[in-house]
């Protein structure tokens, strides 16, 4: 298919294309080469992954090969599979994603779980603010789980908000609205029952050593958490008390190893009942706390 790749067969079938792309991706150190190859073929042919396996002997037509050539080329350059397919599942919902937004991660479902658990007592008219909303995955998942709540998603990136609004509309989350804002700047005088955030939390100096999929393709604005990774986290914890109703909950996603410093920020910031929530890999992923009723 590509001159510099493994030897290409004379005529292509689904199976031979999957094998060829798998070998090629593996040689480039791509993590799940076979899965990626199957997902790209399924996407290009608009079939599900099971059909890719069952119809391995089906020959590929010229137009299909051209589409696949383009997709394989992009994956070879480490473009994330989610951008190539244009979607990623999060909390059981299919979100549209492209290079304007971070690809939603399964780890971030821990943030939704923590926010739902800790706000179980809040009235049906719960007001939530999801800072750093990106694709809107957290805001939309919360809005779908709590249809009577009013959810605001905000981001400093107007491009990300275009994607977030499209996701909310397509997924029928009509109780969520998106606002462009540098953290709390657009919410002066407003208070919420729940504030969630998955902010950028990678230390600036660690970005160069990230996987190329992330480092070279996902928005830098979504990754860079400043010198120690906690610059934005610190701003959120500092300003959240003046935007929470008494008894309100703040929940923030953080990187591996950042929990102790974040717990200390919550405690010195006046939060009570501070908890750490682990993700599916048992990594300390979310810190939450309650603004005491005075
Ligand atoms: C790690 S991504 C999270 C996206 C999404 N919530 C998720 O979980 O997939 C962080 C987001 O924070 C936004 N961001 C960065 N700095 C910001 C700031 N000062 N104010 C508001 N949003 C900011 C970025 O544009 C990016 O969309």
């Amino acid at each position: 298919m590509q001159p510099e790749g493994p030897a290409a067969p004379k005529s292509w079938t689904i199976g031979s294309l999957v094998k060829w792309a798998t070998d090629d991706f593996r040689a480039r150190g791509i993590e799940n080469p076979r899965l990626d190859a199957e997902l790209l073929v399924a996407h290009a042919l608009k079939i599900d992954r099971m059909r890719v396996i069952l119809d391995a002997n089906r020959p590929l037509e010229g137009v299909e090969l051209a589409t696949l050539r383009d997709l394989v080329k992009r994956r070879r350059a480490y473009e994330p599979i989610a951008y190539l397919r244009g979607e990623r599942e999060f909390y059981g919902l299919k979100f549209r994603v492209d290079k304007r937004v971070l690809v939603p991660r399964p780890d971030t479902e821990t943030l939704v779980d923590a926010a739902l658990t800790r706000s179980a007592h809040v009235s049906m008219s719960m007001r939530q603010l999801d800072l750093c909303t990106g694709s809107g995955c957290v805001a939309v998942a919360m809005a779908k789980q709590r249809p009577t709540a009013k959810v605001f998603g905000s981001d400093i990136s107007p491009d990300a908000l275009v994607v977030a609004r499209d996701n909310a509309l397509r997924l029928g989350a009509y109780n969520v609205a998106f606002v462009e804002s540098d953290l709390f700047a657009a919410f002066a005088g407003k208070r919420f029952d729940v504030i969630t955030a998955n902010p950028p939390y990678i230390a600036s100096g660690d970005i160069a050593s990230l996987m190329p999929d992330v480092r070279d393709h996902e928005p830098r604005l979504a990754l860079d958490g400043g010198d120690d990774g906690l610059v934005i986290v610190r701003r959120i914890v500092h300003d959240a008390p003046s935007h929470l109703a008494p008894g309100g909950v703040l929940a923030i996603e953080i990187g591996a190893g950042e929990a102790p410093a974040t717990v200390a920020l919550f405690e010195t910031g006046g939060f009570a009942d501070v908890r750490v929530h682990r993700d599916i890999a048992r990594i300390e992923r979310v810190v939450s706390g309650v603004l005491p009723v005075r």
Side-chain angles (χ1 to χ4, degrees):
M1 179 173 264
Q2 293 286 325
E4 72 272 26
K10 283 200 188 72
S11 63
W12 291 94
T13 60
I14 289 182
S16 64
L17 191 289
V18 167
K19 183 180 178 320
W20 181 85
T22 302
D23 292 346
D24 184 82
F25 293 163
R26 185 178 293 113
R28 288 166 205 269
I30 288 173
E31 238 174 37
N32 300 301
R34 184 165 184 100
L35 175 65
D36 285 7
E38 287 175 359
L39 287 172
L40 289 185
V41 172
H43 175 65
L45 306 188
K46 299 186 179 60
I47 55 177
D48 65 33
R49 232 182 99 211
M50 189 52 78
R51 279 253 79 82
V52 173
I53 296 159
L54 294 176
D55 291 349
N57 293 328
R58 148 143 128 58
L60 291 169
E61 290 165 14
V63 187
E64 294 170 337
L65 269 173
T67 308
L68 276 161
R69 185 174 294 124
D70 178 56
L71 290 169
V72 169
K73 208 166 135 197
R74 289 169 65 189
R75 188 64 189 121
R76 280 175 156 186
Y78 302 100
E79 194 170 332
I81 275 285
Y83 291 167
L84 299 181
R85 300 176 72 219
E87 66 177 30
R88 170 56 62 92
E89 195 166 309
F90 179 83
Y91 227 79
L93 302 164
K94 274 192 181 139
F95 286 84
R96 288 237 175 104
V97 291
D98 60 33
K99 62 180 185 315
R100 292 173 288 183
V101 295
L102 189 93
V103 176
R105 309 291 207 267
D107 305 340
T108 303
E109 297 191 353
T110 311
L111 177 61
V112 177
D113 288 338
L116 287 171
T117 308
R118 300 222 62 180
S119 63
H121 64 288
V122 183
S123 75
M124 286 171 67
S125 58
M126 175 182 104
R127 286 169 64 87
Q128 184 196 345
L129 173 60
D130 178 48
L131 297 167
C132 303
T133 202
S135 62
C137 58
V138 173
V140 170
M142 288 292 292
K144 296 287 285 182
Q145 292 292 315
R146 295 274 168 84
T148 60
K150 178 71 198 168
V151 181
F152 293 87
S154 82
D155 203 287
I156 201 168
S157 158
D159 284 347
L161 291 173
V162 173
V163 179
R165 286 192 185 101
D166 177 56
N167 277 321
L169 213 61
R170 272 187 326 97
L171 293 166
Y174 303 117
N175 52 332
V176 58
F178 292 97
V179 179
E180 187 181 331
S181 179
D182 179 359
L183 299 184
F184 294 103
F187 298 95
K190 301 270 188 298
R191 289 189 182 262
F192 301 88
D193 302 300
V194 179
I195 296 174
T196 49
N198 175 16
Y201 54 64
I202 296 167
S204 308
D206 292 344
I207 290 187
S209 52
L210 294 174
M211 280 161 48
D213 307 42
V214 181
R215 182 193 63 213
D216 300 341
H217 294 281
E218 297 198 80
R220 173 97 187 194
L221 190 58
L223 305 172
D224 195 338
D227 278 355
D228 65 349
L230 292 173
V231 170
I232 303 267
V233 171
R234 223 172 264 116
R235 283 178 59 199
I236 295 172
V237 178
H238 180 267
D239 292 346
S242 47
H243 295 281
L244 277 171
V249 172
L250 172 65
I252 306 185
E253 176 171 334
I254 44 155
E258 292 178 343
T262 308
V263 167
L265 287 173
F266 271 64
E267 286 174 349
T268 52
F271 285 90
D273 193 8
V274 178
R275 297 183 201 168
V276 176
H277 310 256
R278 291 176 188 269
D279 65 19
I280 32 177
R282 306 296 303 149
I283 292 170
E284 294 181 326
R285 183 58 65 194
V286 171
V287 175
S288 68
V290 175
L291 185 72
V293 182
R294 296 198 193 277

